[in-house]
Amino acid sequence: MGIIGHIGRYFLLLRETFSRPERAGIFWRRTLEEMDLLGVQSLGIVALLSAFMGAVITIQTKTNIDSPLIQAWVVGFATRQSVILEFSPTVISLILAGKVGSNIAAEIGSMRVKEQIDALDIMGVNSAGYLILPKLAATILINPFLVMISMFLGIFGGWLAGVQAGVISSDDFILGIQTGFKPFHVTYALIKTVVFAFIITTISAYQGYFTRGGTREVGISSTRAVVYSNVVILLANLVLTRVLLL
Amino acid sequence: MIEVQGLSKRFGDNQVLTDISAVFEQGKVNQIIGMSGSGKSVLTKCMVGLHRPEEGRVLYNGRSFHDMNDEEKRQVRQRIGMLFQGSALFDSLTVLENVIFPLRMFGAMPKSEMEDRARECLKLVRIQDKDDLFPSQISGGMQKRVGIARAIAMEPKYLFCDEPNSGLDPQTAILIDDLIKELTEEYNTTTIVVTHDMNSVMETGENIIFIHQGRKWWQGSRQELLNSDNTELNEFIYAGSLMRQVKEAMSRRS
């Protein structure tokens, strides 16, 4: 199948996904389960990465702009901007594409090759809606919280590393993160996060849903889910940045 | 009753089914037999709407399934129970939860009644005290029986079984055959069993359809099957030594 065929089939799957859930109660219960599986259980890796990346950004910024002409607080400013504008929404989403995307593709792909999706269809259950919509609702609801936690921990990690390593004083760092703060940058980051959550979930679900074959093909679907999600996230990142920031 | 009229299906250039017409009667175990790759499973999947045929119709009580709107299809599907070759139980649900699943999705009864109904279905297929086990913790034969329990939970009008005996020991295979026969009588279902197991055919088959090279080659009863002079059919049914011995015994007696 060519790329146009895949795009067409992707949108047809989305149409199926957004049709009425079988039962609202079951939908919300499944959404909460998925929020735990796909969101809360990703908190550890997000926290770890954010704190360490914030620390590295601070130290690298300091070493690169170590000039008497540049004020010390700029390190805090640059760390904040890097974390809020790019690291937390984009890099964390790329990492979630690896963790969550492969999970979604493998789960749905395994269900496909074991005929469990056929079983749902024959029972009269809308399999796309039953399987994909709760995952989509879960990631769209939980990922912004993950990214906000990432922003906080990234900046906190930068402050801690900067002060501990003696590259910046606590007062200068705090002055830097307060200087020229635009609340819209947080909104921009959260809009990106929601779009990326949609991309990760739907592309991964598409790869899993149309898996044909056996366990090897499930593995291939998982890999494709991660690669295609990452490529589309990078393209969407460029488009959203041009539309929202310029 | 289910009727198939002039059904043809192909995948790309591969013509899998050609102009199949057949009637599957209510209250009987209808069997579709044929060699591996003959198109039996594809025919079943066309009948339950998992594949859309290029030509032909599948009529459920006189109404064409593929011409129904989505809601009508859903209503028909809720009256279909299907046992898959690999059971297709949900891995992350326990035995009891698997059987409750269709009741939870479509039933309007309280939770305690759903559990009672699910346990009743499990009792019918002779599975007890396995409620909290996961499918991976029970044997293949038990998985098939749980699959049957799930298929009958909604009291289906149509029961499809795709190779219910494959991979099972002879005793368990007989048990599954008996269950299918009992359930067909109890619920008066239109039962369609896809199989190439001749023991099963001789045990339960009432209306037998032989598919060969994607075409309906022969249709008849169990007795007619043994007396048929259709070459391809005879090659299929007498491929095993047991059936050859049956034929020789019948010849000696006559």
Side-chain angles (χ1 to χ4, degrees):
Chain A
M1 186 184 285
I3 189 160
I4 302 294
H6 280 291
I7 291 170
R9 199 165 64 162
Y10 169 80
F11 282 107
L12 287 174
L13 180 66
L14 284 187
R15 194 183 68 176
E16 288 288 308
T17 302
F18 285 109
S19 55
R20 185 176 59 87
E22 309 300 335
R23 290 212 159 164
I26 292 173
F27 167 73
W28 285 114
R29 200 172 66 220
R30 280 184 49 77
T31 301
L32 287 174
E33 287 169 5
E34 297 293 350
M35 283 170 83
D36 177 46
L37 179 70
L38 303 175
V40 177
Q41 290 186 30
S42 302
L43 195 55
I45 186 78
V46 168
L48 193 72
L49 279 166
S50 302
F52 278 89
M53 286 300 289
V56 170
I57 288 169
T58 299
I59 294 168
Q60 285 190 350
T61 306
K62 175 63 183 170
T63 56
N64 282 294
I65 59 168
D66 195 11
S67 159
L69 298 174
I70 299 171
Q71 291 174 290
W73 57 264
V74 172
V75 173
F77 173 84
T79 301
R80 183 200 73 204
Q81 290 299 83
S82 302
V83 168
I84 290 179
L85 289 175
E86 208 50 36
F87 172 73
S88 289
T90 308
V91 177
I92 289 296
S93 291
L94 290 170
I95 288 156
L96 288 175
K99 183 181 181 293
V100 172
S102 59
N103 176 307
I104 291 171
E107 182 192 330
I108 297 178
S110 297
M111 291 186 74
R112 169 62 76 191
V113 300
K114 290 180 180 175
E115 296 183 307
Q116 291 170 18
I117 293 180
D118 288 347
L120 285 172
D121 287 333
I122 288 171
M123 281 179 208
V125 177
N126 167 14
S127 58
Y130 178 78
L131 294 172
I132 302 169
L133 193 57
K135 292 182 193 301
L136 187 57
T139 53
I140 282 177
L141 288 171
I142 198 92
N143 282 17
F145 287 99
L146 286 176
V147 164
M148 283 193 284
I149 291 167
S150 165
M151 287 174 185
F152 171 77
L153 289 174
I155 293 169
F156 177 76
W159 169 80
L160 192 65
V163 172
Q164 286 297 311
V167 297
I168 187 170
S169 71
S170 178
D171 288 344
D172 281 337
F173 191 89
I174 290 167
L175 177 64
I177 62 174
Q178 289 174 332
T179 302
F181 175 69
K182 291 179 182 169
F184 177 71
H185 285 176
V186 176
T187 309
Y188 156 78
L190 294 179
I191 291 170
K192 287 207 302 186
T193 303
V194 169
V195 172
F196 297 161
F198 183 89
I199 289 168
I200 293 167
T201 312
T202 54
I203 289 180
S204 304
Y206 172 81
Q207 290 299 329
Y209 197 82
F210 291 106
T211 301
R212 291 282 180 274
T215 47
R216 184 173 168 271
E217 283 72 21
V218 172
I220 292 170
S221 293
S222 296
T223 307
R224 280 189 185 147
V226 177
V227 173
Y228 295 158
S229 296
N230 282 345
V231 171
V232 178
I233 284 172
L234 293 174
L235 288 172
N237 189 30
L238 179 63
V239 172
L240 286 171
T241 303
R242 282 216 59 171
V243 170
L244 296 173
L245 285 190
L246 288 184
Chain B
M1 187 182 78
I2 304 175
E3 193 175 352
V4 173
Q5 293 179 343
L7 194 139
S8 296
K9 175 70 189 169
R10 67 171 177 271
F11 295 103
D13 295 333
N14 182 21
Q15 186 74 35
V16 180
L17 297 173
T18 308
D19 194 26
I20 301 232
S21 295
V23 174
F24 300 90
E25 295 167 48
Q26 189 173 357
K28 283 188 177 178
V29 178
N30 301 270
Q31 289 191 318
I32 304 173
I33 61 171
M35 287 187 288
S36 299
S38 57
K40 308 183 296 292
S41 293
V42 174
L43 173 60
T44 318
K45 286 184 176 175
C46 286
M47 289 170 71
V48 296
L50 288 178
H51 292 322
R52 193 177 178 90
E54 272 73 38
E55 286 170 42
R57 303 191 304 169
V58 179
L59 306 175
Y60 281 83
N61 286 336
R63 295 206 53 211
S64 171
F65 181 79
H66 293 98
D67 294 335
M68 291 177 190
N69 63 35
D70 288 348
E71 188 52 37
E72 288 169 327
K73 280 182 184 169
R74 268 165 58 96
Q75 283 174 7
V76 170
R77 280 177 161 160
Q78 285 169 28
R79 308 304 295 166
I80 293 176
M82 182 149 184
L83 171 64
F84 286 84
Q85 193 174 353
S87 302
L89 298 176
F90 303 120
D91 300 326
S92 52
L93 300 183
T94 63
V95 163
L96 187 69
E97 287 167 343
N98 262 287
V99 183
I100 287 177
F101 185 85
L103 299 168
R104 199 158 53 99
M105 295 305 289
F106 303 112
M109 52 179 85
K111 195 181 171 193
S112 60
E113 278 183 40
M114 285 186 203
E115 288 181 359
D116 290 345
R117 170 68 187 150
R119 288 200 176 92
E120 186 189 328
C121 293
L122 286 168
K123 199 175 165 188
L124 273 173
V125 298
R126 299 167 184 91
I127 288 192
Q128 281 170 301
D129 306 324
K130 306 284 182 201
D131 292 3
D132 297 326
L133 296 182
F134 287 93
S136 58
Q137 295 173 302
I138 58 176
S139 69
M142 279 188 190
Q143 287 180 17
K144 295 259 176 168
R145 282 187 275 158
V146 175
I148 294 175
R150 186 178 67 180
I152 61 170
M154 293 287 286
E155 298 188 11
K157 284 174 72 178
Y158 313 101
L159 182 62
F160 289 82
C161 305
D162 189 4
E163 306 209 9
N165 297 329
S166 66
L168 299 181
D169 62 86
Q171 275 184 314
T172 311
I174 290 168
L175 176 64
I176 299 279
D177 284 340
D178 290 345
L179 277 172
I180 290 169
K181 204 171 175 180
E182 278 172 34
L183 295 168
T184 302
E185 284 164 12
E186 185 167 340
Y187 293 106
N188 194 29
T189 55
T190 304
T191 300
I192 292 150
V193 177
V194 175
T195 186
H196 44 61
D197 176 3
M198 284 313 296
N199 291 336
S200 173
V201 173
M202 299 318 294
E203 194 71 32
T204 59
E206 293 171 278
N207 175 32
I208 300 156
I209 291 159
F210 175 57
I211 304 286
H212 182 65
Q213 294 177 346
R215 293 175 186 273
K216 190 181 93 175
W217 217 256
W218 183 90
Q219 180 168 7
S221 67
R222 212 178 332 176
Q223 197 55 43
E224 288 166 339
L225 180 85
L226 292 173
N227 298 324
S228 169
D229 56 2
N230 186 301
T231 314
E232 286 79 9
L233 178 64
N234 283 336
E235 278 175 9
F236 173 75
I237 61 177
Y238 298 118
S241 59
L242 180 65
M243 287 305 291
R244 278 200 300 274
Q245 284 166 21
V246 169
K247 191 183 186 185
E248 282 161 17
M250 283 173 64
S251 306
R252 279 199 297 273
R253 208 176 295 166
S254 63

